[in-house]
Amino acid sequence: ESQARATEQLQALEKDLRDQLARGVERKKVDVYRDSWLLNAVMKFGGLAGWATAIVLVPAGFVFYALYFVAVKRLILNKAQPGTYSVNSVFYLRKWFTDRLIKMSRFYLLPLYTTLYLPHWMRLLGAKIGKRAELSVLSYFSPDLIELGEESFFADSSIIGGKRYYRRHFQIAMNKVGKRSFVGNAAILPVGASLGGHIPALENLPL
């Protein structure tokens, strides 16, 4: 009899847990629908008008985020100058923050990458980019410290520049990529290095 009573209690407890889980899932679905501005727009305006509103709001929101990243970056660190700085300085914190901001853009603005609009956006951030240059999803770049020549191409996961650390200091420098140069997948262009174009170190090599 005691074993039967225990079995009934376990079954009742299991049923109660299933009911609570089901209510939690339903509540979560309601919260998702309520918090989704896209679905709210469709439901509020209804049918074709709702989808038309969503089609307008999505690009507008994307443009807002792109300009928001530019504004925050310029507010924190408008332009980084090449040089050597202490890791205990305020400048280091500003540079670290803007680097994190650029890294976050790969998540929030991923559809922008690999498009014809990416060079224009990078110019707003401070980069110097020649005409018809193409860029994919770069793993790292510092807009203030790159000069990219015309018709140059940058493949996925390539890294342009960065920071060089030494004895509680770090160095940043310009990276210049010449006209019609190619930076391959996962390639690394070290701090201050140049590639392609009229680079004196290459011009003096014997043919």
Side-chain angles (χ1 to χ4, degrees), residues 111-147:
L112 177 65
Y113 284 78
T114 73
T115 69
L116 297 176
Y117 304 105
L118 180 60
H120 299 288
W121 181 69
M122 289 180 62
R123 291 188 185 103
L124 291 176
L125 292 171
K128 296 181 179 179
I129 303 177
K131 297 179 180 179
R132 296 183 296 278
E134 296 185 34
L135 302 98
S136 187
V137 184
L138 305 179
S139 290
Y140 177 89
F141 67 94
S142 183
D144 311 329
L145 301 171
I146 56 176
E147 293 184 9

Side-chain angles (χ1 to χ4, degrees), residues 16-199:
D16 185 54
L17 289 174
R18 283 201 302 266
D19 292 341
Q20 290 183 16
L21 180 61
R23 286 196 298 270
V25 171
E26 291 299 326
R27 190 180 301 111
K28 186 174 182 180
K29 288 181 179 178
V30 171
D31 292 340
V32 169
Y33 283 113
R34 185 185 60 210
D35 296 337
S36 174
W37 60 270
L38 179 58
L39 291 175
N40 282 334
V42 174
M43 291 186 292
K44 181 178 180 180
F45 296 100
L48 184 60
W51 284 112
T53 303
I55 290 173
V56 173
L57 290 178
V58 169
F62 191 80
V63 171
F64 170 79
Y65 272 110
L67 296 178
Y68 177 78
F69 272 88
V70 173
V72 173
K73 190 268 178 189
R74 289 191 173 187
L75 179 65
I76 301 300
L77 182 59
N78 186 35
K79 184 172 179 61
Q81 298 294 336
T84 302
Y85 304 88
S86 171
V87 296
N88 298 320
S89 62
V90 175
F91 178 80
Y92 176 79
L93 294 177
R94 294 163 63 198
K95 186 68 173 69
W96 173 86
F97 183 88
T98 53
D99 286 345
R100 296 292 299 178
L101 189 70
I102 298 300
K103 186 176 181 179
M104 288 171 56
S105 71
R106 299 205 310 269
F107 175 77
Y108 290 100
L109 302 175
L110 183 60
L112 177 65
Y113 284 78
T114 73
T115 69
L116 297 176
Y117 304 105
L118 180 60
H120 299 288
W121 181 69
M122 289 180 62
R123 291 188 185 103
L124 291 176
L125 292 171
K128 296 181 179 179
I129 303 177
K131 297 179 180 179
R132 296 183 296 278
E134 296 185 34
L135 302 98
S136 187
V137 184
L138 305 179
S139 290
Y140 177 89
F141 67 94
S142 183
D144 311 329
L145 301 171
I146 56 176
E147 293 184 9
L148 313 181
E150 297 181 3
E151 301 178 355
S152 54
F153 183 86
F154 298 81
D156 286 329
S157 302
S158 54
I159 297 175
I160 307 175
K163 295 188 288 289
R164 182 180 290 118
Y165 291 91
Y166 180 72
R167 291 188 176 180
R168 297 185 180 179
H169 288 76
F170 72 100
Q171 178 192 15
I172 54 176
M174 290 293 301
N175 288 95
K176 298 182 180 181
V177 177
K179 182 178 180 180
R180 295 183 178 179
S181 299
F182 175 77
V183 179
N185 294 74
I188 300 176
L189 194 61
V191 178
S194 298
L195 174 69
H198 298 290
I199 302 175

